[in-house]
Amino acid sequence: MTDEEHTKPAARSFLSCATEVARLMDLGDAADVPEARRARHLAHAVREPLLERAHLPEEFFAPLLAAAVYDPDPSFCRWFVEPAVYVFGRRRVMTALLGYLRTGTDAEQAGAKRAWYCAHVPLRADRSPAYAPGGSRDPALDESRDVRDQWREALQGSVM
């Protein structure tokens, strides 16, 4: 496979992931935007609406994580990780990223590593309505010490 063949499917994968998240948000597919910029356009379009939601249906979880993992820009994968952490919890997000690290393709493993950094986003009640009134949330959603230990073990195992 040539470098061009390898890069094109990766870009298409991010586009398909961003398109799926936008579809779930009922935001359309941005067909009028040039394909080279469409994925980033869709990512930008979903960012604020995702953070404004206190709850997301279960069907959002996998597409959000896939978009974060396939986003080629480490500065922007947070746009998908952050709302997932707020709504579904840091533990669940980190566990899914650990799955990508353990069983994903090389590109997915690299994307999981980029997204892992974003999964440590500080949680603030004023940032998301996912908090209960009074700024509280179930601490079990965010307890992730054991997952962090598993992540470190998986990284050490991949180096050998």
Side-chain angles (χ1 to χ4, degrees):
M1 182 178 280
T2 68
D3 285 346
E4 184 180 14
E5 289 172 315
H6 184 71
T7 304
K8 211 170 192 178
R12 204 172 291 132
S13 293
F14 177 52
L15 176 56
S16 69
C17 293
T19 300
E20 177 63 8
V21 174
R23 183 193 67 76
L24 290 169
M25 299 286 299
D26 291 324
L27 295 176
D29 63 3
D32 58 329
V33 177
E35 186 172 347
R37 294 189 319 222
R38 194 172 304 151
R40 187 60 52 218
H41 175 85
L42 291 169
H44 184 74
V46 301
R47 176 164 173 60
E48 288 303 319
L50 283 169
L51 284 172
E52 292 169 353
R53 299 252 186 117
H55 303 284
L56 290 169
E58 181 62 30
E59 66 183 321
F60 276 76
F61 184 75
L64 281 174
L65 269 287
V69 166
Y70 281 98
D71 192 328
D73 191 323
S75 299
F76 293 112
C77 69
R78 178 178 176 168
W79 291 6
F80 300 102
V81 174
E82 186 176 20
V85 168
Y86 273 109
V87 173
F88 298 107
R90 189 181 316 274
R91 177 180 190 76
R92 185 165 177 205
V93 169
M94 289 179 153
T95 300
L97 293 173
L98 178 60
Y100 276 106
L101 181 68
R102 287 179 171 159
T103 63
T105 64
D106 289 347
E108 289 170 338
Q109 290 173 4
K113 289 173 186 175
R114 289 189 301 270
W116 180 262
Y117 177 79
C118 297
H120 293 83
V121 63
L123 300 173
R124 299 186 336 249
D126 65 335
R127 180 84 169 133
S128 171
Y131 277 79
S136 65
R137 93 191 241 122
D138 180 358
L141 288 170
D142 303 313
E143 176 50 48
S144 57
R145 184 170 297 139
D146 61 323
V147 181
R148 289 190 306 251
D149 292 342
Q150 292 173 49
W151 179 269
R152 282 191 290 275
E153 288 172 18
L155 284 176
Q156 289 174 349
S158 67
V159 173
M160 296 180 172

